[in-house]
Amino acid sequence: MQRISLKSFLVTLLVILMIMAALLLYLYYILSRPLGATAVDTKQMKHVFSIYGYGTKTDEMLSRPTDVAFDDEGNIYIADAGHARVLVFRSSGQYLRKVGKKGFGKGELMEPTGVTTSKDGRIYVADKALSKVVIYDGKGKFQSEFKVMVPFKPHVENGKLYLTTYGHIMIFDLKGRLLTEWGKRGRKEGEFDCPTGIAVDKSGKVYVSDTLNLRIQAFSRSGELLWVKGKPAEDIKAADRAFGLPGGMAMDEKNLLYLIDAFDNSIKVIDAKGKQLATLGKKGVKEGEFNQPSSIAYDQNGIFAIADKFNDRVQVVKITIE
């Protein structure tokens, strides 16, 4: 009889401890969010969750996340520029691992501005400060690196590595061997000024966010200019600007483009011919609001991740465009 009572006591104690642990986890979640971070949902964009880091210490929190990417399993890769590393999280937001560390040596990083993954699991990181692209395996082990003058955004599509630089679009094989490159730095159509976003459709058409020229340019797979939306402005307050500051870009399975507009604190949804369909988001600290976001990545089923740079977080949202 005494043994049964002891067993019941232990079961009851275990249940109480589990409830207390759940409450502590909930309190941690609430307290780790910034003040005023209530979710702001709209019909077209609903907040799913946000990633602020993997702990509460300063070096465990995100600092100026610049880029974000998904792999084929839905894992989230964050170029955490302020801490010179890439952080990897599960699709649920659970922390997995760090990739890279701060330094000037091989495989080390100083200012990772872009990240992407390939279907075989490799991770490609563009480091603007060190003018190189670093290749890691799926576990984050350094494989190789190659020099490129001021790289911004890598993107893997159709078995190739596309890379934006200060004034070029470069295309490599997945081992980092140059296949071709387009353009030069300038303001004319077909030229570039620090493009920080790129998307490629299944047919090989390339869409470039030509950041400091305040426009999007679309190209055929061979580099022929197809169309341009926006133009360089003489004044930052020019009324005829199509975009505040175009940044990262993603494309869904419907060939819709999702463009980050950093100065407008929004996502512009644009079809494959350059017609704008919607504007999502606004400036703020609440979930679903942005503070100079820098990049966006698409997973599947309407799920996107946004590098909300100056809110020091990555937001995962579901976007529905009918």
XYZ file of all heavy atoms in Angstrom, residues 93-134:
316
model
N 11.755 26.812 -35.696
C 12.461 27.857 -34.961
C 13.451 27.322 -33.948
O 14.142 28.098 -33.282
N 13.555 25.996 -33.810
C 14.498 25.399 -32.864
C 15.926 25.540 -33.380
O 16.225 25.239 -34.529
C 14.158 23.920 -32.649
C 15.109 23.194 -31.706
C 14.843 21.697 -31.654
O 13.967 21.194 -32.353
N 15.601 20.971 -30.837
N 16.815 25.984 -32.503
C 18.213 26.207 -32.877
C 18.923 24.890 -33.170
O 18.772 23.906 -32.453
C 18.932 26.949 -31.743
C 20.425 27.094 -31.931
C 20.937 27.894 -32.936
C 21.311 26.417 -31.096
C 22.308 28.032 -33.111
C 22.685 26.557 -31.250
C 23.181 27.361 -32.264
O 24.533 27.491 -32.437
N 19.733 24.898 -34.239
C 20.509 23.723 -34.612
C 22.010 23.924 -34.430
O 22.668 23.190 -33.714
C 20.218 23.335 -36.068
C 18.886 22.649 -36.347
C 18.711 22.420 -37.839
C 18.811 21.315 -35.606
N 22.579 24.938 -35.113
C 24.034 25.057 -35.087
C 24.495 26.425 -35.603
O 23.724 27.157 -36.226
C 24.690 23.965 -35.926
C 24.475 24.080 -37.408
C 25.110 22.921 -38.173
N 24.428 21.675 -37.913
C 23.392 21.244 -38.632
N 22.936 21.972 -39.652
N 22.808 20.115 -38.353
N 25.779 26.701 -35.355
C 26.470 27.843 -35.952
C 27.310 27.350 -37.114
O 27.807 26.237 -37.103
C 27.411 28.509 -34.941
C 26.762 29.072 -33.702
C 27.845 29.622 -32.791
C 27.311 29.893 -31.398
N 28.390 30.291 -30.452
N 27.483 28.230 -38.089
C 28.377 27.951 -39.214
C 29.334 29.124 -39.337
O 28.912 30.278 -39.430
C 27.584 27.773 -40.527
C 28.545 27.573 -41.698
C 26.619 26.594 -40.415
N 30.628 28.831 -39.342
C 31.624 29.887 -39.457
C 31.884 30.585 -38.138
O 31.108 30.476 -37.183
N 32.992 31.313 -38.099
C 33.317 32.116 -36.923
C 34.089 33.344 -37.374
O 34.584 33.413 -38.506
C 34.136 31.317 -35.919
C 35.505 30.902 -36.414
C 36.279 30.160 -35.325
C 37.685 29.787 -35.797
N 38.450 29.107 -34.727
N 34.207 34.316 -36.489
C 34.845 35.582 -36.841
C 36.345 35.409 -36.997
O 37.012 34.787 -36.172
C 34.545 36.634 -35.779
C 34.953 38.042 -36.167
C 34.431 39.051 -35.168
C 34.718 40.479 -35.627
N 34.152 41.489 -34.697
N 36.866 35.950 -38.080
C 38.298 35.874 -38.301
C 38.650 36.133 -39.748
O 37.778 36.288 -40.606
N 39.948 36.158 -40.033
C 40.443 36.446 -41.377
C 40.980 35.210 -42.091
O 41.431 35.300 -43.224
C 41.542 37.511 -41.311
C 41.050 38.852 -40.834
C 41.109 39.189 -39.488
C 40.513 39.775 -41.721
C 40.653 40.421 -39.038
C 40.051 41.010 -41.279
C 40.120 41.323 -39.935
N 40.923 34.066 -41.426
C 41.478 32.852 -42.012
C 40.518 32.152 -42.950
O 39.378 32.590 -43.155
N 40.959 31.032 -43.504
C 40.111 30.256 -44.400
C 38.885 29.729 -43.641
O 39.010 29.196 -42.538
C 40.890 29.101 -45.008
C 41.878 29.535 -46.085
C 42.426 28.354 -46.864
C 43.284 28.825 -48.034
N 43.785 27.694 -48.843
N 37.727 29.891 -44.255
C 36.501 29.432 -43.631
C 35.960 30.365 -42.572
O 34.887 30.116 -42.008
N 36.683 31.451 -42.296
C 36.235 32.412 -41.281
C 35.553 33.608 -41.953
O 35.721 33.850 -43.155
C 37.415 32.855 -40.424
C 37.999 31.710 -39.611
C 39.195 32.098 -38.765
O 39.871 33.102 -39.109
O 39.476 31.395 -37.786
N 34.792 34.345 -41.171
C 33.937 35.405 -41.700
C 34.144 36.702 -40.935
O 34.499 36.692 -39.749
C 32.460 34.989 -41.585
C 32.064 33.644 -42.225
C 30.663 33.245 -41.800
C 32.166 33.741 -43.743
N 33.885 37.816 -41.613
C 33.892 39.131 -40.970
C 32.565 39.860 -41.176
O 32.055 40.495 -40.262
C 35.044 39.984 -41.502
C 36.409 39.560 -40.983
S 36.560 39.599 -39.176
C 36.418 41.369 -38.867
N 32.009 39.778 -42.383
C 30.729 40.441 -42.651
C 29.917 39.602 -43.653
O 29.850 39.931 -44.834
C 30.934 41.854 -43.207
C 29.650 42.651 -43.281
C 29.850 44.043 -43.859
O 31.013 44.430 -44.131
O 28.842 44.744 -44.047
N 29.291 38.533 -43.165
C 28.481 37.716 -44.077
C 27.222 38.476 -44.506
O 26.374 38.802 -43.682
C 28.136 36.486 -43.236
C 28.215 36.964 -41.819
C 29.289 38.011 -41.799
N 27.136 38.758 -45.794
C 25.992 39.525 -46.307
C 24.962 38.659 -47.004
O 23.842 39.116 -47.248
C 26.467 40.593 -47.308
O 27.268 39.957 -48.311
C 27.289 41.668 -46.615
N 25.327 37.428 -47.365
C 24.397 36.570 -48.081
C 24.642 35.109 -47.799
O 25.775 34.690 -47.545
N 23.561 34.309 -47.847
C 23.669 32.878 -47.615
C 22.668 32.155 -48.503
O 21.574 32.669 -48.779
C 23.436 32.532 -46.124
C 22.045 32.944 -45.668
C 23.669 31.048 -45.860
N 23.055 30.983 -48.987
C 22.145 30.134 -49.744
C 22.586 28.687 -49.558
O 23.671 28.420 -49.025
C 22.124 30.509 -51.237
O 21.051 29.833 -51.899
C 23.433 30.150 -51.925
N 21.736 27.744 -49.987
C 22.064 26.325 -49.870
C 21.790 25.629 -51.199
O 20.995 26.107 -52.009
C 21.223 25.641 -48.779
O 19.839 25.674 -49.145
C 21.400 26.339 -47.433
N 22.435 24.498 -51.402
C 22.204 23.687 -52.596
C 21.454 22.414 -52.207
O 21.375 22.061 -51.027
C 23.530 23.337 -53.280
O 24.359 22.582 -52.408
N 20.935 21.722 -53.202
C 20.159 20.516 -52.934
C 20.992 19.405 -52.308
O 20.455 18.523 -51.627
C 19.493 20.019 -54.230
C 18.359 20.917 -54.713
C 17.650 20.312 -55.900
C 16.490 21.188 -56.357
N 15.453 21.335 -55.308
N 22.308 19.420 -52.531
C 23.164 18.399 -51.921
C 23.612 18.792 -50.519
O 24.448 18.114 -49.911
C 24.371 18.091 -52.808
C 25.291 19.291 -53.006
O 25.057 20.341 -52.385
O 26.247 19.177 -53.800
N 23.070 19.900 -49.988
C 23.317 20.268 -48.602
C 24.410 21.283 -48.367
O 24.615 21.723 -47.229
N 25.132 21.681 -49.407
C 26.192 22.664 -49.202
C 25.642 24.041 -48.867
O 24.547 24.408 -49.287
C 27.098 22.727 -50.435
C 28.131 21.604 -50.480
C 29.014 21.664 -51.702
N 28.326 21.158 -52.878
C 28.938 20.924 -54.040
N 30.227 21.175 -54.172
N 28.251 20.439 -55.066
N 26.422 24.789 -48.114
C 26.061 26.129 -47.673
C 27.057 27.109 -48.284
O 28.275 26.911 -48.187
C 26.109 26.239 -46.132
C 25.243 25.148 -45.484
C 25.674 27.625 -45.666
C 25.574 24.902 -44.025
N 26.541 28.162 -48.925
C 27.374 29.172 -49.574
C 27.159 30.505 -48.860
O 26.017 30.958 -48.709
C 26.997 29.316 -51.048
C 27.186 28.047 -51.857
C 26.227 27.034 -51.818
C 28.319 27.856 -52.649
C 26.397 25.865 -52.553
C 28.490 26.691 -53.385
C 27.530 25.705 -53.328
O 27.690 24.546 -54.045
N 28.252 31.120 -48.425
C 28.170 32.378 -47.689
C 29.027 33.427 -48.383
O 30.226 33.212 -48.622
C 28.641 32.209 -46.229
C 28.505 33.530 -45.474
C 27.837 31.116 -45.519
N 28.411 34.569 -48.717
C 29.145 35.698 -49.302
C 29.584 36.633 -48.179
O 28.767 37.037 -47.348
C 28.262 36.447 -50.295
N 30.870 36.947 -48.144
C 31.417 37.857 -47.143
C 31.912 39.119 -47.849
O 32.923 39.104 -48.544
C 32.565 37.194 -46.378
C 32.984 37.998 -45.160
O 33.293 39.199 -45.314
O 32.992 37.440 -44.050
N 31.167 40.199 -47.680
C 31.492 41.450 -48.367
C 32.829 42.021 -47.899
O 33.638 42.498 -48.698
C 30.377 42.474 -48.139
C 30.589 43.792 -48.873
C 29.422 44.749 -48.663
C 29.420 45.329 -47.275
N 28.424 46.417 -47.114
N 33.085 41.995 -46.597
C 34.293 42.609 -46.051
C 35.559 41.889 -46.516
O 36.585 42.531 -46.761
C 34.230 42.633 -44.528
N 35.479 40.564 -46.631
C 36.654 39.785 -47.022
C 36.679 39.468 -48.513
O 37.596 38.789 -48.985
C 36.706 38.486 -46.216
C 36.851 38.649 -44.698
C 36.901 37.292 -44.014
C 38.079 39.473 -44.343
N 35.680 39.948 -49.263
C 35.604 39.725 -50.715
C 35.820 38.258 -51.078
O 36.725 37.905 -51.857
C 36.618 40.619 -51.454
O 36.147 41.951 -51.489
N 34.947 37.415 -50.516
C 35.053 35.990 -50.824
C 33.710 35.303 -50.623
O 32.808 35.826 -49.966
C 36.116 35.318 -49.944
C 35.754 35.230 -48.467
C 36.871 34.547 -47.669
C 36.506 34.416 -46.202
N 37.578 33.730 -45.421
N 33.595 34.130 -51.226
C 32.469 33.239 -51.001
C 33.010 31.971 -50.368
O 33.972 31.375 -50.868
C 31.724 32.910 -52.312
C 30.634 31.861 -52.063
C 31.121 34.172 -52.909
N 32.409 31.565 -49.249
C 32.866 30.391 -48.509
C 31.848 29.268 -48.687
O 30.639 29.501 -48.610
C 33.034 30.705 -47.009
C 33.668 29.514 -46.293
C 33.882 31.952 -46.812
